[in-house]
């Protein structure tokens, strides 16, 4: 097996869409699929599985759509992709037709002392196409069955590598996975060893995408593994634009520095490329601070970005972060004399406001 060494702690350069979520009950009542995400390339034959079991495929697509709709519901309405974003391919592989990938690397990103075990996992599709864009997700199917004997549903994981691969030109994909206690898929992924083969579906998601525009300004707000798409955006912009791209602004929250994924590479990023606000809620030598607290104390920075029609906002991480970040954005916009809901609607309709929380 051809193993490519990857060093995630090296420098960074090595660094639909519905208003309401669908419940599982809703999904089982559907006779046909809900409206697809717009402006996507849906892989040809995607709903015809290899074994011709279309019903299996319908069950496969629906839960993915439901997961994404739920994840994007915090945007407060229908999001669209940035106008300049590359047209995404979705559902290239599905449960009836997954692709096999080989594990190339599995690195712990958080310190051994940290109670948070987050992994940087690199998978390779062995020459098969996997056209994932930054901000899209993959579906991972854990082996085995549920207690009632059914196959596990795929879990979604954001890609944390750019479109041309974790290693430029290799088209391999990296994931940033947090081990959840007793979680089926996260434990499976975090325990993977180099050379093991896994079943992957996707890519999925057609709106949480980056603008293809060096002059675009990115305001990225994340916690924990919500850093995955932000890493992919950052690496892609570095590769595409070098130092010609506008500086990005990052608000990134974790409990402690040693539980903040990609802490090392992030520290090395020059401020001309990214203005970083790393924020800790459980650091013994600092006052408790959440991302929304820092956004408020840096309200001048946030205001200036929000009022610029060239700014694209991305919020990603745990569901719990949504309310605090939303309240901070509301208050910051109000202090600047703007109606946040109106501004957010405009930004969303222009593909400039994106939320993905889980
Ligand atoms: P599950 O088995 O689904 O369990 C989830 C939790 O419920 C666990 O903590 C488990 O202990 C608890 N639980 C399970 N069964 C029971 C029970 N019977 N009683 C009580 N508690 C129970 N995650 C990442 O790490 N990185 C990412 O980049 C990422 N991106 C995502 C992107 C999207 C769009 C979405 C929707 C989700 C994303 N996730 C990501 C979350 C990921 O998909 C999984 O939900 C997560 O890894 C947990 O899956 P699991 O199979 O390990 O846990």
């Amino acid at each position: 097996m051809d193993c490519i060494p990857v060093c995630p702690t090296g420098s960074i350069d090595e660094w639909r869409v519905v208003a309401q979520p669908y419940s599982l009950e809703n999904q089982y009542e559907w006779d046909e699929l809900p409206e697809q995400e717009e402006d996507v390339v849906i892989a040809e034959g995607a709903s015809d599985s290899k074994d011709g079991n279309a019903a299996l495929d319908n069950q496969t697509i629906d839960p993915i759509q439901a997961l994404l709709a739920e994840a994007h519901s915090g945007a407060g309405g229908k999001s669209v992709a940035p106008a300049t974003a590359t047209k995404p391919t979705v559902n290239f592989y599905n449960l009836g037709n997954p692709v096999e990938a080989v594990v190339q690397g599995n690195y712990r990103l958080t310190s051994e002392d940290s109670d948070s075990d987050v992994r940087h996992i690199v998978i390779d599709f062995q020459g098969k196409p996997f056209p994932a864009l930054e901000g899209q997700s993959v579906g991972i199917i854990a082996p085995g069955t549920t207690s009632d004997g059914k196959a596990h549903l795929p879990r979604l994981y954001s890609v944390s590598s750019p479109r041309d691969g974790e290693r430029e030109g290799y088209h391999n994909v990296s994931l940033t996975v947090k081990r959840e206690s007793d979680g089926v898929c996260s434990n499976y992924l975090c325990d993977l060893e180099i050379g093991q083969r896994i079943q992957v579906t996707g890519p999925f998601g057609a709106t949480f995408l980056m603008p293809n525009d060096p002059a675009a300004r990115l305001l990225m707000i994340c916690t924990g593994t919500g850093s995955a798409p932000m890493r992919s955006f950052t690496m892609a912009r570095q590769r595409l634009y070098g130092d010609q791209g506008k500086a990005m602004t990052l608000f990134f929250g974790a409990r402690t520095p040693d539980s903040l994924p990609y802490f090392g590479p992030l520290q090395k990023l020059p401020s001309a490329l990214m203005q970083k606000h790393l924020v800790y809620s459980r650091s013994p030598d600092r006052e408790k601070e959440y991302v929304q607290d820092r956004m408020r104390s840096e309200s001048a920075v946030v205001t200036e970005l929000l009022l610029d029609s060239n700014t694209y906002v991305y919020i990603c991480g745990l569901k719990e972060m949504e309310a605090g970040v939303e309240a901070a954005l509301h208050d910051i916009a109000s202090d600047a004399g703007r109606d946040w809901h109106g501004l957010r609607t405009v930004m969303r309709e222009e593909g400039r406001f994106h939320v993905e929380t889980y």
Side-chain angles (χ1 to χ4, degrees), residues 16-17 37-40 68 72 78-82 85 88 90 134-136 204-210 233 314 351 353-356:
R16 185 196 105 114
V17 182
E37 294 182 69
E38 60 186 27
D39 202 22
V40 295
L68 282 171
H72 294 171
K78 180 178 162 118
S79 292
V80 297
V90 300
E134 307 81 17
Q136 286 194 291
F204 301 113
T207 57
F208 196 102
L209 302 172
M210 68 169 209
F233 293 163
Y314 299 88
F353 186 75
H354 302 275
V355 176
E356 188 163 280

Side-chain angles (χ1 to χ4, degrees), residues 251 294-305 332 335:
F251 288 86
R294 185 66 68 89
M295 289 167 66
R296 287 176 188 277
S297 62
E298 292 288 341
S299 61
V301 170
V302 179
T303 304
E304 195 273 319
L305 280 161
I332 291 167
D335 289 347

Side-chain angles (χ1 to χ4, degrees), residues 67-68 71-72 137 155-159 175-187 225-226 228-229 356-358:
L67 284 170
L68 282 171
H72 294 171
S137 301
R155 286 1 180 221
L156 290 179
Y157 295 91
S158 309
V159 302
L175 308 175
T176 311
V177 181
K178 180 172 193 286
R179 190 188 292 277
E180 297 291 346
S181 67
D182 300 327
V184 170
C185 197
S186 59
N187 280 285
T225 56
E356 188 163 280
T357 52
Y358 41 85

